[in-house]
Amino acid sequence: MHRRYQAAADTEARLGVLLKPLAEQGFHVLADRMWPGSTRANVDFVVVGPSGVMIVDAKSWADVHLASGRIFQGQDDVTERFENLRWLAEQTETTLADVGIAPGEVHAVAVFMGKRELSGRAGGIDVVDENAALKYLVGTGNRLNRSKIALALTAVERLFPPSSAGNRRAQLATGAAGTAIAAPGLAGAHGPAAADAVSSRLVHPDVVVPTTTENALITIEEIEAALHASVSSLPIEDWMTYLHPDQARLARRSFNGPSRIRGAAGTGKTVVGLHRAAYLARTRPGKILVTTLVRTLPVVLSSLMERMAPDIADRVEFTGVHAFAQELLRSRGQHVTVSGVKADRAFEHAWAAVGRDGILGRIDLRKEYWRDEVISVIKGRGLTRFEEYATLARIGRRRPLGGEARAAVWELHYTYNQALREANVHDFADVILLAEKSLRTHPLEGYTAVIADEAQDLSCAMIRMLHALVGDAPDGLNLIGDGQQTIYPGGYTLAEANVSLAGRGVVMTKNYRNTVEIADFAASVVSGDLFDDIEGEPSSMDVASEIVRHGARPRVSRFISRRAHDKSVVAQVRSLLASGVAGGDIAVLTQTNYAADDLMEVLSAAGIRTVDLHFYDGRTTSAVKVGTIKRAKGLEFKQVLVVRTPARLLEPVGAVEAAVAERRELDRRELYVAMTRARDGLWVGVG
């Protein structure tokens, strides 16, 4: 009898430790509860959380297998021994139906500890092995919202009262040294009183499981590695919603005003933002706005939210920042016509009239530089008087401009706006400024929080517009991003936007995505480069203090012809597919739309299915993803091929003129973004 109790205690304790990360994911784990109507029988675990209600029985049987919907131990059919577990699930379904929980949300599962490749259904219950337990318990996604979880938990606690058997079991599990096996959820508990206390409480996220004592059955690091590995094997879309337990508290953290989450690439900022949106939607009235400059990212994030939290997906609005501004103006009867083609013509006219042959042309004949100055520096802030521009620090611009040059830029800006009005069109910067003005005049009701992903790419006027929606309300404005990944010219500080973080900034320091090899290689590309952070100080890159995985070293291949390069791209993709990597987990990224279109044709001609990132909607696909680096911002892929990379970006360079250095830094940061999209493997084609 002593051995039987000790085996049971060991098995339950091991499973209890394995289940601990669920507490960080919004689950409640009730250990060692009484069987309804019985004074002796107990239920090992009842798990209540977003994926439903799970009645869990831990087993450590030898020689177990499934066949034809039955459970066998050796040659013996033991399916009937689980009849009571199935009956218990039915009783739970009946009880929970009274509080509005659908029967399909209740599951009975037998977890066989120490087994591998044991998975299926038999006798009306689910059967899984130890390694698949966590995946099973979270695998149905977010089925129950917060209120239903509370209702289910209350009903389950009444149905399954605390068991006093835990005390007896802990006593019988005492070893030679007189130390009881730590019961699930309470580290270092000793003696009958501690074990009895454990049997009647929840596994709480603040409880620490031992990682070094001799009583530890499995360390937290091993648990996290197992959970990471199980998610890693799934399509990349499942990985993109995976929230590591370390990140869960940040997703639910409360701030008493505008806040910012930043960190190096791979630290999980976007997924934290996604889960934060779900959390705020469940705990606050009104709508949550999730926005970004990347036009295609909101579609992907919306799809991911549908997968992970369908119950609140309709309360979270995903839209590009320009699309939001245009819809706001339309809803208020303010018509704007945005035409990129006509805006280009308007600037060509202004440049020819007052720029090319004057002081600006003598400084730099590249009209793109001066257009960036007008759009990003002047209109990006909404400057209306030359005096404002004359003394502006011009954050992010490396070339100094004297008074005469600034006056010429202002004239170019004025002439460009005149040409836009004559053509009866607006550019995208105008749309933001008009929307911001409208919100200042007539505030918009209904939004509780704004989450701005890739915030470093937004303009000063965009930040002001979004801030106007929620003001300084607690948890109102949430900025997420990394200054190292700024890939657009110009800049600003939050002070210019009249936004104060007042210490409400969090830096994420653990890289969950990249391998050490990928992260180090990508960092070497931008090593030594400085950038102007939106918090007001020149900065170097945030460096992850911990990277959890190792992998293959990135490969750089150089070619003397485009034909040889593209042939190698096809070969690389075919090799990945042949190795078992799904097409949808591979991305081919390049700097320009032209190159992306060209590579899609090359791959299609080779018989490889592709999908343009412009049309990728966040759903699992078997097609290789192809697009520009800008389209890939905020996304992740298992394997990345960065193609047609200019050699100059990987080569050391001496002293250059300030504007050239600025452009090169932007291009290198863009290359850094592309490389850090890779989770498992990276190939760079140069030429």
Side-chain angles (χ1 to χ4, degrees), residues 161-239:
S163 168
S164 60
N167 183 19
R168 172 67 176 159
R169 183 165 297 173
Q171 292 178 31
L172 293 173
T174 302
T179 303
I181 298 294
L186 189 63
H190 299 297
D196 190 54
V198 170
S199 70
S200 63
R201 66 171 61 182
L202 303 180
V203 176
H204 192 275
D206 290 335
V207 173
V208 179
V209 175
T211 60
T212 58
T213 69
E214 61 182 1
N215 291 329
L217 298 173
I218 183 171
T219 68
I220 288 296
E221 289 75 15
E222 289 172 327
I223 294 170
E224 293 177 355
L227 189 58
H228 188 284
S230 67
V231 178
S232 298
S233 64
L234 299 174
I236 196 65
E237 287 76 16
D238 291 277
W239 167 262

Side-chain angles (χ1 to χ4, degrees), residues 256-260 463 467 471-472 477 479 494-505 535:
N256 63 1
S259 63
R260 182 189 182 194
I463 295 292
H467 187 216
D472 291 330
L477 182 63
L479 304 178
L494 290 176
E496 291 182 73
N498 200 29
V499 173
S500 172
L501 298 183
R504 295 180 294 271
E535 292 187 46

